[in-house]
Every structure is written in structure tokens, then in C-alpha cells.
Amino acid sequence: MAEVPSDAEIISTLADDLPVGLWVARAPAGEFVYANRTFGEIMGTVGLADPKAGGYASPYGIFTRDGVPYPEAKMPFVRALEEKRVVVVDDLTIRRPDGARVDVRAFARPVTNAAGAITHVVIAFFDITREVHAQQARAESEHRLARAQRLESIGTLAGGIAHDFNNLIFGIKLIGTELAIGETDARRLRSLALVDDITERAATLTRSLLGFARRGKQRPMPVALDDVIAAMRELLTRALGGIALEFELGATDRGPIVADRTQLEQVVLNLVLNARDAVKGTGRVRVTTRSAAERVILEVADDGPGVPDGLRERVFEPYFTTKTKGPDHGTGLGLATVLGIVESHGGTIEIGHGLVGRGATFRVALPKTDAIAASAAGAIVRGEPARGSGTILVVDDDDIVRRAITLAIENLGYDTAAAASGAEAVELFRRNPSAISAVVLDMVMPGMNGRATYLALRDIVPEIPVLLMSGFTLDDEVQTLLELGVRRFVAKPCSVDDLARELAAIVG
């Protein structure tokens, strides 16, 4: 006759099949009594006889979510004893001996005798790894969305400010050039040259803002990242002074990317200069390229102090800088510009650990040629500076800029007509289209913008020569107009020489 299993054996068998880990210990010392099979699967070890109350974290590999050994005073066993009730602890992470990590929620229940004294504590462990990962993924997604929305708002503001400042800078630049014509006083000429230098410096800042605002994608074409960096070796080496600069270039053999070469150079230079500032003259900087699936990777790593976790998101915000004093005082636009350029090219940027466990690595991933549409239509072709003749219709809603452009064009030998709006320009042109040789047209105007104005002018004279101008750089809207028939585009602020070359090209 078969032996009948005891009650204890039946309970033990059933407990082993439960999808929850059970662990029982005596109170108050915590001597191990029982653990089921699921407990061993979760913890990666069977119940241990040696640990006692006050010493569970290390033997069982119990940590906080942040990787700190779990405080013994907050262990489920200890809390159940102290609080004399069922306690729930859901921030435990088990680091198993096999290297796996398991996130756990524990229910600890004190067991009392007839006299009300606690004799045992039973703890049920639930594997909530998937739940925790899902929560973390949601939190990360929400964080990225909030960051993207914040940066988009800042970018919109930065782009608008840059556009308006470009208009003002353009006016100053043109007026300064006009004042220099015929000037013989050497002191005044030096002052006017200084004005021109200042406007160029201001234009550089606004270009950086437009880069951050993703308004700066200009002339995309197939380029090899390694070739771009190789051409910059000497410049980068000089920029770093005595700091060790290493190159590991290995991306060219897998095909080019589609990018604006000038902006790509700006990304590389800004990242290298950022690394230079991080190591403070005594470390190493390494520039690496490689291929990964449909992306080309650029990494700029250093062995400086690294980027604190709390600042990793903010370093890409415009005008945020940790270099606030001394000769290396930062503008806070370098990394903001990098972010804007990279994202405008369909890429991503992230921060990782630097060299030999120290410092930081800025990792840029850009799509390869077959992953992004390439279009070089509307590329700006530079001619030689020239004077001209004929009547140029200047259309710009900004009075200062319109007057400055008009004066500059007249100094080049042209006659001018001016309109403060698209509607006024169309009406003026309709009266006598044969009298107008070409149109200088602002892109951004209230009411009837550059696109609407151009289409209306084209309806009157289909082949009307138009030079489009904007405080933004060449973007998708401008590219569309170039494809529709606009002859040339120039970004404000430009020099009088640039304006002369572009007019000569369309007036012919």
C-alpha cells in the first residue's frame, strides 16, 4: 500500500508550484525556516541558514533600484516586526549570483501565537521586473517628450529672435558699407571696419541660434564624414594646443552621409572644443567614426570630469554653460548649435562615459545616404562682384532694412523701387512690369509672405528674376521657392559684395 504523504509534504509541494516566492523565518532573530522553489528562482539562491535579522542585504544580494545595498532597517522582515502588521515593500532589486537582476515586491506578514507575540514572519516575493521596466520606459518616454517640447519652444523663440536680429545686423552692415564709400579719413575707415567686424561676430551668434532652432540646413550633399574630419585635422590640433588629440576614423568604407559640409564641420569643431574645455589642458581627446547599420557614428570622447547626471539634459539648452568665469567663459551656444544641426539632419546625439571610465563621450548618429533624401537643388552659386543697371524692386516690410538695401543697390549702379508689403509690390509691378529688371524679395512678411508674393508676381511675368532674402538660412520653405522658379537666395546678413554678385547673376 502506497505511503500517504503528510500534511507538511502536501503543503510543501503545493507551495513550490506557487508563482510567488515564499520565505519564512523565526522572530525576532530571523533564523531561516522555509523557502519554496519560486523563492530560489527569484533570488538565484535557496534559503540561507546563516543570515540573521540585520544581515540580509549582502547574502541575498538585495539592493535599491539605484544600486545601493538595501538598508537593513527597512527590510520587510524588520519592518513587519517593528510595525506589527503586514508591510509592502516594492523597491527591492535582487542581484542574483548569475548576474541577472530581478525587481521584486515583497509582502511581509507577522505570525503571532495565542498570547499575541510574534513568532514568525512570512514574506511573499513577487517578480515585478516587467512592470518596473514598463514604468521606467513610460517615464523615459514622457521625459523625452517633455524635453523635446521644451527645446522646441526654446528653438522657436531662438529662431524668431535670430531672424529679427539678422534683419537689424543686415541694415547696420549695409549702412556701414555705404558710409565707407568715398571715405578718406583713416580713423573713420578703421571705425567702419570695426563695425563690419562686429556685425560679422553678431551674425555668427545668430547663425548658431538658427542652428539650434533647426533653421540652418543649407546645402545638403553626399559627403564622407572621415574626409570632413581629415580635412580638419590641422585646425583641430591647433585648437587643442598641447592636449593630446587622437583620431580613429573608420566610417568612410560604408558610404557617405547627406549633410551640409559646413554645418558638419561646425558639429565636429564644437564637440572638440567642448572636450578641450572639459579636460582643462591636461587630458586626452579622441575623435572616432564608425558605421552602425543605417547610421554613421561620430564620437568625441575626453577624460575630463564628465557631465553630472543632473546636467545631461540642460547642456543642450542655449545659453546654458558651466564656464561662467575666466578667459574661457562660454556662450552656451556650442552644444545647442550641435543639437539643432544634428536633429535637422535627421540624426541623434547622446552622452556616454568617456575615456578609461572617466570624462564624457558625445555620440552623434547620422543617417547614411540611402536613409535620407538628398537634394542639392537651389545650391547657391557665387559669381564675381559686379555693378549693374536696370531697376530693382525691393520688397521688405522692415523699413530700416528696406532703406538700407535700396541704398546699397543704388550704390551698385541700379535704379530702385520699393514696397513695404507683398500686396504693394504686386500692385506696383502690375502697373509697369517691363520697367522692373528684377525683384529683391523678403521671405518673412506679415499678410502676403514671400511665397504668396512671388507666385503673384510670376502670374504677371512668369520669368521674373527674383532674389529671395531671409533672416533665416536656407530651409524647406526657401528650397520650395527655389524649385518653383526663384533664381537665387541669400541669407541676411550678407555683404554688399554678396548682394552685388547675386544681382548680377539674375539681371544678366
Side-chain angles (χ1 to χ4, degrees), residues 165-188:
F165 267 95
N166 274 341
N167 275 332
L168 296 174
I169 294 166
F170 188 32
I172 295 170
K173 193 175 187 68
L174 294 183
I175 293 169
T177 301
E178 182 198 359
L179 293 174
I181 296 174
E183 179 61 65
T184 58
D185 186 277
R187 181 176 179 181
R188 289 176 181 168

Side-chain angles (χ1 to χ4, degrees), residues 295-381:
R295 301 254 162 170
V296 172
I297 308 300
L298 163 68
E299 293 181 344
V300 178
D302 63 69
D303 60 356
V307 181
D309 291 341
L311 297 182
R312 291 199 172 196
E313 298 297 333
R314 296 203 62 199
V315 295
F316 294 109
E317 295 180 2
Y319 293 107
F320 177 81
T321 178
T322 57
K323 301 184 288 291
T324 58
K325 297 180 180 179
D328 295 328
H329 172 72
T331 64
L333 286 175
L335 293 179
T337 300
V338 168
L339 175 68
I341 293 174
V342 169
E343 292 190 343
S344 74
H345 284 76
T348 59
I349 184 169
E350 60 184 14
I351 306 174
H353 295 297
L355 301 175
V356 294
R358 296 185 57 202
T361 295
F362 285 81
R363 184 174 300 105
V364 173
L366 295 169
K368 293 180 184 175
T369 301
D370 56 359
I372 187 171
S375 172
I380 302 171
V381 179

Side-chain angles (χ1 to χ4, degrees), residues 423-493:
E424 183 183 345
V426 173
E427 180 60 29
L428 191 156
F429 186 66
R430 182 179 286 113
R431 291 176 195 163
N432 191 5
S434 61
I436 304 298
S437 303
V439 178
V440 174
L441 177 62
D442 186 33
M443 180 66 189
V444 181
M445 297 185 293
M448 200 171 184
N449 64 12
R451 178 190 176 102
T453 303
Y454 170 69
L455 294 177
L457 294 174
R458 193 182 68 172
D459 285 342
I460 302 170
V461 176
E463 300 299 324
I464 178 68
V466 173
L467 170 61
L468 191 65
M469 305 189 78
S470 176
F472 294 126
T473 49
L474 195 157
D475 57 17
D476 292 339
E477 292 182 64
V478 174
Q479 188 69 55
T480 299
L481 281 180
L482 290 169
E483 293 169 357
L484 288 172
V486 167
R487 301 284 185 87
R488 286 284 194 272
F489 168 75
V490 63
K492 304 173 187 175

